[in-house]
Amino acid sequence: MSIRFTNRIFLRNRSLNKWLGFSVALAILILTILASNSMVQKLKQEEQKKMEIIVQALELQGNSFDISDDTRALTLKISENNMSMPMILTDEDGVILDIRNMGHEHDKLLNDTSFLKKRLNEMAVQHTPIEVELPFGTQKIYYENSSLLSQLRYYPVVLVLIILAFTFFFIWYFKTLNDSQKSFLWAGMAKETAHQIGTPLSSLLGWIELLKLEEIDPSIMNEMETDVKRLNQIAERFSKIGSVPELKKYDLAEICAHTYDYLKSRISTGVDFKYKSPKTPVMVECNPELLSWVLENLVRNAVDAMQNRGKIELKTYYSGRFAVISLRDDGPGIPANLQNRIFEPGYTTKKRGWGLGLSLAKRIINDYHNGKIYVAESDKELGTQFIIKLKSLNTNSN
């Protein structure tokens, strides 16, 4: 029972899932950094011990005159066995006695006094020089981390970057795969809907033609014919989902005007619906059926949000290189934390709804028309403004 309850909490609480995933990823990164840092510190201690052994070997060679030849050979081999750590041996006056593992800097250290001083200071900052006490004076060994240890110091950072890169790749990959599956699903549903609606619509158009022969008010028949043709247009729109629509040059203001005229007489009389447009044509490349569909979705959503009472203003205008459609209502507004989610497939705040309208609108504008649709502003007092931007074809647009 408790396991089922826990699973239900995680499935329903998206925020909890996100924080849990973030916490697990952060814990993995921290453990990786700590483990890598521990390994680096152990190697550093090993190199420190190795250098101390070399110092002891040098002191034994200089202070003991009665050691055997084998012992002297062993101490010499120990002192010469450093094949990795950069090291400079100097006398009391700072004169170089030996240089090991300094690579291309070897000759410059011997010939450039200022460079030698600079490198000794750098090495002294990294490790305190070790003094070698000998009968004829004190020598100093300056040394720094081996190239392997220096590279391992950056290993945690590199490892974290690699992990992050793989994480982002898998997130992107699965998100893309998921979005593709959703797109195919919605496209399939849309095409099937268009197919199912097509047959009864054809019959309705035939019945309307027969009714025209009867003594019926022509205005009623015209309205019926307009609505049936509109349903046929909607079916055609659904059939185009999932395929690349044909874009042609149209006057955006004219498309908005036709949509306005159709919706004006079909929304609640409690809504004050107005339309404004410039006197000159607003030319864009678009698919008028799909663009009109987007506007209908936005208008009907606004009417629902205002509960069939309020003001809606539809405008078309220029803004730089773009032709812009603005739709503003004085409804209750959209909470800031939901303004990005309203375009997600399946997301809806309505009790009855599929949550497809705005997601399809975004796909039509962003993917098919290479434009942008977004919530420009939303407030409880001022209402909501949606903006649609399309590239203008007017050369004299400002």
Side-chain angles (χ1 to χ4, degrees):
M1 184 68 179
S2 60
I3 295 176
R4 183 181 299 176
F5 178 72
T6 304
N7 289 337
R8 188 178 300 172
I9 291 176
F10 281 115
L11 287 173
R12 292 184 177 181
N13 196 328
R14 295 182 63 181
S15 178
L16 182 61
N17 285 336
K18 290 179 180 178
W19 279 109
L20 179 62
F22 174 78
S23 300
V24 171
L26 183 62
I28 292 173
L29 290 177
I30 292 174
L31 290 174
T32 301
I33 293 173
L34 291 176
S36 302
N37 187 61
S38 175
M39 181 176 64
V40 170
Q41 291 301 320
K42 287 181 180 178
L43 287 173
K44 190 174 181 179
Q45 292 173 4
E46 290 295 326
E47 290 195 350
Q48 178 77 22
K49 291 178 180 178
K50 185 176 180 180
M51 185 56 66
E52 291 175 356
I53 292 173
I54 292 174
V55 170
Q56 292 175 5
L58 290 174
E59 289 180 341
L60 183 61
Q61 289 181 33
N63 292 322
S64 303
F65 298 99
D66 55 349
I67 61 175
S68 65
D69 292 340
D70 290 340
T71 303
R72 190 176 298 278
L74 178 61
T75 57
L76 183 62
K77 186 175 181 179
I78 292 173
S79 62
E80 293 179 348
N81 197 36
N82 174 25
M83 303 297 292
S84 58
M85 287 182 291
M87 183 188 80
I88 301 177
L89 178 64
T90 66
D91 61 12
E92 293 178 333
D93 299 323
V95 177
I96 295 178
L97 300 176
D98 193 12
I99 298 177
R100 300 281 178 87
N101 308 316
M102 295 301 294
H104 64 278
E105 296 179 340
H106 187 281
D107 294 337
K108 193 172 183 180
L109 289 168
L110 293 174
N111 301 317
D112 190 337
T113 306
S114 60
F115 180 72
L116 171 63
K117 186 176 181 180
K118 176 185 175 183
R119 288 296 283 120
L120 291 177
N121 289 334
E122 291 174 354
M123 298 172 85
V125 170
Q126 191 173 127
H127 293 285
T128 302
I130 301 177
E131 294 186 349
V132 183
E133 299 294 340
L134 299 172
F136 48 82
T138 301
Q139 297 177 349
K140 285 186 177 181
I141 294 180
Y142 295 83
Y143 70 102
E144 59 187 8
N145 296 334
S146 64
S147 58
L148 176 61
L149 183 57
S150 298
Q151 292 172 8
L152 286 175
R153 291 179 61 186
Y154 299 102
Y155 174 74
V157 177
V158 174
L159 186 61
V160 167
L161 291 176
I162 292 173
I163 292 174
L164 289 176
F166 271 104
T167 302
F168 284 125
F169 171 77
F170 281 114
I171 291 174
W172 169 83
Y173 176 76
F174 285 112
K175 185 178 183 301
T176 302
L177 188 63
N178 189 40
D179 290 344
S180 298
Q181 290 175 342
K182 286 182 179 179
S183 297
F184 285 126
L185 174 62
W186 301 135
M189 289 176 61
K191 288 181 180 294
E192 181 62 22
T193 301
H195 176 72
Q196 295 295 334
I197 292 175
T199 302
L201 277 179
S202 299
S203 298
L204 283 174
L205 287 170
W207 282 109
I208 288 173
E209 293 300 323
L210 289 175
L211 288 173
K212 286 180 181 179
L213 301 176
E214 305 293 331
E215 294 182 0
I216 299 176
D217 186 350
S219 63
I220 295 176
M221 295 306 304
N222 289 336
E223 287 299 318
M224 287 179 62
E225 187 175 17
T226 300
D227 284 337
V228 172
K229 286 182 178 179
R230 196 68 174 182
L231 284 171
N232 191 55
Q233 187 181 41
I234 291 171
E236 290 180 4
R237 292 172 180 172
F238 271 99
S239 68
K240 292 178 180 178
I241 296 298
S243 57
V244 179
E246 184 180 1
L247 304 183
K248 292 184 178 180
K249 188 175 180 180
Y250 290 96
D251 180 5
L252 185 64
E254 186 177 345
I255 295 172
C256 292
H258 282 310
T259 306
Y260 168 77
D261 292 337
Y262 175 78
L263 293 174
K264 176 70 175 176
S265 60
R266 285 166 175 78
I267 61 176
S268 171
T269 55
V271 177
D272 181 15
F273 189 19
K274 294 181 179 180
Y275 173 59
K276 296 180 180 179
S277 66
K279 296 179 180 180
T280 57
V282 183
M283 305 307 297
V284 296
E285 278 192 344
C286 69
N287 182 286
E289 288 81 12
L290 293 180
L291 194 57
S292 180
W293 189 7
V294 171
L295 294 176
E296 286 182 34
N297 270 305
L298 294 179
V299 171
R300 294 189 187 281
N301 282 346
V303 172
D304 290 343
M306 296 187 302
Q307 297 183 350
N308 298 314
R309 189 169 299 276
K311 295 180 180 180
I312 298 178
E313 183 183 61
L314 178 65
K315 290 172 60 178
T316 54
Y317 58 92
Y318 293 114
S319 178
R321 299 178 293 106
F322 297 98
V324 181
I325 301 173
S326 168
L327 185 76
R328 181 184 287 276
D329 65 63
D330 62 354
I334 304 170
N337 62 324
L338 299 181
Q339 290 179 17
N340 290 327
R341 292 195 61 195
I342 59 174
F343 292 104
E344 295 178 4
Y347 181 80
T348 179
T349 56
K350 301 177 184 178
K351 292 182 178 179
R352 296 180 179 179
W354 290 82
L356 297 179
L358 288 178
S359 64
L360 287 172
K362 184 175 182 180
R363 182 171 183 178
I364 289 169
I365 299 300
N366 290 22
D367 297 347
Y368 292 164
H369 290 82
N370 293 319
K372 291 182 179 180
I373 180 172
Y374 57 92
V375 178
E377 59 179 350
S378 189
D379 185 83
K380 290 183 178 180
E381 304 296 330
L382 302 176
T384 301
Q385 181 187 21
F386 280 88
I387 291 291
I388 297 173
K389 284 187 175 182
L390 301 174
K391 186 177 180 181
S392 172
L393 297 180
N394 293 60
T395 55
N396 61 343
S397 61
N398 296 320

